[in-house]
Amino acid sequence: MHPLDVVKTRFQIQRGKTDPTSYKSLGDCFRTIFQREGLLGFYKGILPPVLAETPKRAVKFFTFEQYKKLLGYVSLPPGLQPSSFVQAQQIIKTGGLGFQGLNKGLTATLGRHGVFNMVYFGFYFNVKNILPVNKDPNLEFLRKFGIGLVSGTIASIINIPFDVAKSRIQGPQPVPGEIKYRTCFKTMATVYKEEGFLALYKGLLPKIMRLGPGGAVMLLVYEYVYAWLQDTVNHK
């Protein structure tokens, strides 16, 4: 799913049709990246997500399980880049570890993940309990996949303004050496004022294409692995 994340970010950091890096469409973005940067261009920045997502998902589902117990199931509404380590060293060297360095865009990132997971988990587990369970395992699989797909899609639509703000804060600034995008909500306001409401939803299509099915797969893996572990423990 990473190529869709690269495409999504490229859309979010462009600042309108006058931007020299502006892409005309989703297909144009894929074609341009491939022509200018090759196949590996779609996998730029792959190492940080691989290193971060595995422990993050483990913590996410573990925390969710603990909250379920605590709350008692209450219903809730060009070419190859330098390596990730070299990039991190460069960021720390120029900006330090603070909010202008390695933790730049932290508020927008917290908002993006907080809103996404609130909708994602809330919708999935409440709707799953409303819709009747199918005795046929194939239909039950499709039921869970469909709910997970809708959960990921709705969560993506609701949280994407935070995602756009994050990309603008962490991405290249319009004027080199001058920081235009500093804080989360101020960045949203600036984008809205200068580029209109729809600019806050740039990159929505590739985001949905990635997190709709991706979110469904993640929840299905969680459901079936959790059930298997429970069954294994009970048999022992």
Side-chain angles (χ1 to χ4, degrees), residues 13 15 19 100 104 165-183 187 190:
I13 61 175
R15 296 174 295 278
D19 194 315
Q100 295 304 315
K104 194 175 185 180
K166 172 183 172 294
S167 295
R168 292 296 180 94
I169 293 169
Q170 294 179 340
Q173 301 294 303
V175 180
E178 181 182 317
I179 300 176
K180 179 177 182 178
Y181 305 111
R182 291 181 179 273
T183 62
T187 296
T190 301

Side-chain angles (χ1 to χ4, degrees), residues 11-12 14 160-161 164 168 191-192 194-203:
F11 272 109
Q12 290 178 343
Q14 64 183 18
I160 195 169
V164 171
R168 292 296 180 94
V191 172
Y192 173 75
E194 295 182 353
E195 303 171 44
F197 178 74
L198 291 179
L200 293 171
Y201 288 83
K202 282 185 175 181

Side-chain angles (χ1 to χ4, degrees), residues 17-35:
K17 295 180 180 179
T18 57
D19 194 315
T21 60
S22 179
Y23 300 104
K24 299 175 183 177
S25 65
L26 187 63
D28 177 58
C29 187
F30 272 104
R31 185 168 52 254
T32 302
I33 292 173
F34 181 74
Q35 289 175 347

Side-chain angles (χ1 to χ4, degrees), residues 57-69:
R57 302 298 181 188
V59 170
K60 175 188 287 189
F61 282 103
F62 173 78
T63 304
F64 176 70
E65 283 298 321
Q66 305 315 305
Y67 275 116
K68 277 205 302 185
K69 294 173 184 175

Side-chain angles (χ1 to χ4, degrees), residues 147-173:
I147 299 171
L149 180 68
V150 175
S151 299
T153 300
I154 293 175
S156 296
I157 292 170
I158 292 175
N159 89 324
I160 195 169
F162 289 95
D163 203 1
V164 171
K166 172 183 172 294
S167 295
R168 292 296 180 94
I169 293 169
Q170 294 179 340
Q173 301 294 303

Side-chain angles (χ1 to χ4, degrees), residues 7-225:
V7 171
K8 177 211 71 174
T9 304
R10 295 293 178 90
F11 272 109
Q12 290 178 343
I13 61 175
Q14 64 183 18
R15 296 174 295 278
K17 295 180 180 179
T18 57
D19 194 315
T21 60
S22 179
Y23 300 104
K24 299 175 183 177
S25 65
L26 187 63
D28 177 58
C29 187
F30 272 104
R31 185 168 52 254
T32 302
I33 292 173
F34 181 74
Q35 289 175 347
R36 294 179 180 175
E37 304 167 46
L39 184 62
L40 292 178
F42 292 109
Y43 291 90
K44 284 184 173 179
I46 185 66
L47 185 57
V50 169
L51 294 175
E53 290 300 314
T54 303
K56 187 184 85 175
R57 302 298 181 188
V59 170
K60 175 188 287 189
F61 282 103
F62 173 78
T63 304
F64 176 70
E65 283 298 321
Q66 305 315 305
Y67 275 116
K68 277 205 302 185
K69 294 173 184 175
L70 182 66
L71 297 174
Y73 298 95
V74 175
S75 296
L76 301 174
L80 290 173
Q81 288 177 321
S83 72
S84 299
F85 296 109
V86 172
Q87 290 280 23
Q89 288 175 340
Q90 185 62 31
I91 292 171
I92 294 171
K93 184 178 179 180
T94 56
L97 294 169
F99 294 125
Q100 295 304 315
L102 205 59
N103 283 293
K104 194 175 185 180
L106 178 62
T107 304
T109 302
L110 291 173
R112 182 182 76 161
H113 288 298
V115 170
F116 182 90
N117 288 312
M118 177 183 70
V119 177
Y120 181 62
F121 283 113
F123 184 91
Y124 179 81
F125 284 96
N126 280 282
V127 172
K128 191 187 76 167
N129 292 332
I130 294 172
L131 297 180
V133 176
N134 282 290
K135 294 181 179 179
D136 186 322
N138 293 325
L139 292 176
E140 178 61 11
F141 176 87
L142 291 175
R143 181 184 79 100
K144 289 179 178 177
F145 183 87
I147 299 171
L149 180 68
V150 175
S151 299
T153 300
I154 293 175
S156 296
I157 292 170
I158 292 175
N159 89 324
I160 195 169
F162 289 95
D163 203 1
V164 171
K166 172 183 172 294
S167 295
R168 292 296 180 94
I169 293 169
Q170 294 179 340
Q173 301 294 303
V175 180
E178 181 182 317
I179 300 176
K180 179 177 182 178
Y181 305 111
R182 291 181 179 273
T183 62
C184 177
F185 292 104
K186 188 176 180 181
T187 296
M188 288 186 194
T190 301
V191 172
Y192 173 75
K193 183 179 179 181
E194 295 182 353
E195 303 171 44
F197 178 74
L198 291 179
L200 293 171
Y201 288 83
K202 282 185 175 181
L204 179 61
L205 181 57
K207 182 181 177 75
I208 289 175
M209 290 171 66
R210 181 174 72 94
L211 290 176
V217 169
M218 184 171 67
L219 282 169
L220 282 171
V221 171
Y222 161 76
E223 289 268 9
Y224 286 103
V225 171

